[in-house]
Amino acid sequence: MKTKIIAIVFLFVFSIVKTYSQNDIDTSKSNIQTYTPSKLLNKGQWDIKFFNNLYTETEAKFNGVKADKARETYFTSTIDIFTGVSENNRLNIGLLLEYRSNTIAGNSATSVFSFSNDLNSRNGLSSFAPALKWQPLENVGNFSVQSAFHIPLIENESDVNGVFLDQTAYMFQNRFFYDYTLPSGKWQLFTELSTEYNFGNDDSFANNTFVLAPGLFMSYFPSDKSTILGYIQHYQRMGDFTQDFTTLGFGGKYQITEILNLEILYGKFIRGNNTGLGQSFNIGLRALF
């Protein structure tokens, strides 16, 4: 089923490119410059993002002790779908889907792409979330909030072999977005603050926890269709289980067509407590029409 889902998504995205390549879109600025996460869609517009994250670790720090460990790898594939629904362009509605494939016990980082359920591997559609994206201040179009309620689709976080898939606690998440383009037009500052409240399942490690996760991104546009960026993000979990880590990363985006964008990112966990200390590799496709 997992390979069919991925194939359907790719076919859908590329059919969009073919069908809407002649769509009347404002090309005075590229989509990667105009449609930052802070920007809401016009009524009738669609935004579909297929994003893939591969995180792999061979060391961790728990209870103040940093140590090597057998490799664990976690692959997360998300599909975010939003559309504009309001005449004043201040409200979007959407759906978020999350699929995971994880391996433990020293398997190679690419073993997650076997999408197996065996002694050291586990995969499946783990959660979905209805979502709203809204502009709280009428005169500040570059500030927006995305609110989502994540509903788990699995019964057990870890199987009998100790392979973790995803949390089974519900999550109410708010993400606050703001961007500022410098007068030159070549540099853009983007900030994000994500908050999470996790609840509803006493067996979940995340139950009764609250998360604050700020991030800072700086982008440079060498051309109107490309950008290179660097970022720093911090993640702080509080409550029944405490955890924190900080990541540094870099990457880029390229506008392939008027509709389709490509995004590639790399991130390194530079510090943390009660967490693995690994690295992440990310690639995404985004269709705006």
Side-chain angles (χ1 to χ4, degrees):
M1 183 182 75
K2 51 279 183 180
T3 54
K4 289 183 179 179
I5 293 174
I6 293 172
I8 289 170
V9 170
F10 272 112
L11 288 172
F12 182 56
V13 169
F14 283 105
S15 69
I16 289 168
V17 175
K18 183 177 179 181
T19 304
Y20 291 91
S21 60
Q22 303 301 318
N23 200 27
D24 184 17
I25 297 175
D26 181 8
T27 58
S28 60
K29 283 188 177 182
S30 67
N31 286 338
I32 60 173
Q33 291 175 301
T34 303
Y35 287 98
T36 67
S38 308
K39 176 72 173 178
L40 268 69
L41 304 171
N42 298 328
K43 185 176 181 180
Q45 274 190 303
W46 287 85
D47 182 354
I48 301 175
K49 187 173 184 180
F50 179 48
F51 192 78
N52 302 279
N53 167 274
L54 186 146
Y55 168 77
T56 186
E57 63 183 34
T58 55
E59 61 179 3
K61 186 177 180 181
F62 284 89
N63 300 318
V65 178
K66 184 177 179 180
D68 294 336
K69 59 181 292 186
R71 182 180 297 278
E72 297 182 6
T73 303
Y74 302 88
F75 175 71
T76 304
S77 185
T78 59
I79 301 174
D80 298 354
I81 304 170
F82 280 93
T83 186
V85 295
S86 64
E87 295 290 348
N88 60 7
N89 303 329
R90 293 181 60 190
L91 178 65
N92 298 168
I93 61 172
L95 178 68
L96 317 179
L97 301 170
E98 192 163 284
Y99 190 94
R100 292 181 178 241
S101 177
N102 303 336
T103 65
I104 63 171
N107 287 335
S108 69
T110 57
S111 62
V112 293
F113 299 117
S114 65
F115 298 101
S116 301
N117 285 303
D118 55 35
L119 184 64
N120 298 314
S121 305
R122 194 174 172 204
N123 79 99
L125 185 66
S126 61
S127 69
F128 75 97
L132 296 174
K133 196 169 184 180
W134 47 289
Q135 180 188 326
L137 304 175
E138 183 177 1
N139 297 322
V140 186
N142 54 347
F143 172 64
S144 64
V145 183
Q146 179 177 307
S147 302
F149 181 55
H150 294 257
I151 301 169
L153 296 174
I154 57 175
E155 294 184 0
N156 300 302
E157 292 182 340
S158 299
D159 63 13
V160 294
N161 301 312
V163 184
F164 176 84
L165 186 61
D166 198 357
Q167 72 179 55
T168 53
Y170 294 90
M171 181 204 301
F172 178 61
Q173 181 185 55
N174 287 294
R175 300 173 67 187
F176 301 85
F177 303 121
Y178 176 78
D179 70 77
Y180 175 74
T181 301
L182 276 66
S184 67
K186 289 289 187 180
W187 292 90
Q188 189 176 74
L189 178 69
F190 170 72
T191 60
E192 174 185 353
L193 175 63
S194 179
T195 68
E196 301 174 8
Y197 175 57
N198 302 277
F199 64 98
N201 189 322
D202 292 337
D203 295 326
S204 174
F205 84 95
N207 198 54
N208 293 328
T209 64
F210 183 77
V211 171
L212 283 175
L216 179 67
F217 299 74
M218 179 61 78
S219 297
Y220 173 73
F221 297 95
S223 73
D224 61 346
K225 291 186 177 181
S226 63
T227 180
I228 54 177
L229 61 91
Y231 68 89
I232 182 170
Q233 290 180 302
H234 181 73
Y235 184 96
Q236 189 82 37
R237 184 186 297 274
M238 299 160 281
D240 290 356
F241 175 68
T242 60
Q243 179 187 49
D244 68 271
F245 54 84
T246 305
T247 60
L248 282 176
F250 63 91
K253 299 179 183 180
Y254 182 74
Q255 184 161 319
I256 302 172
T257 72
E258 290 184 354
I259 291 171
L260 191 64
N261 302 333
L262 173 70
E263 179 179 2
I264 298 175
L265 297 172
Y266 169 80
K268 173 67 176 177
F269 285 53
I270 59 173
R271 56 158 305 281
N273 293 292
N274 294 331
T275 184
L277 298 172
Q279 51 191 331
S280 65
F281 304 86
N282 310 272
I283 185 168
L285 286 172
R286 186 186 187 193
L288 283 157
F289 59 97

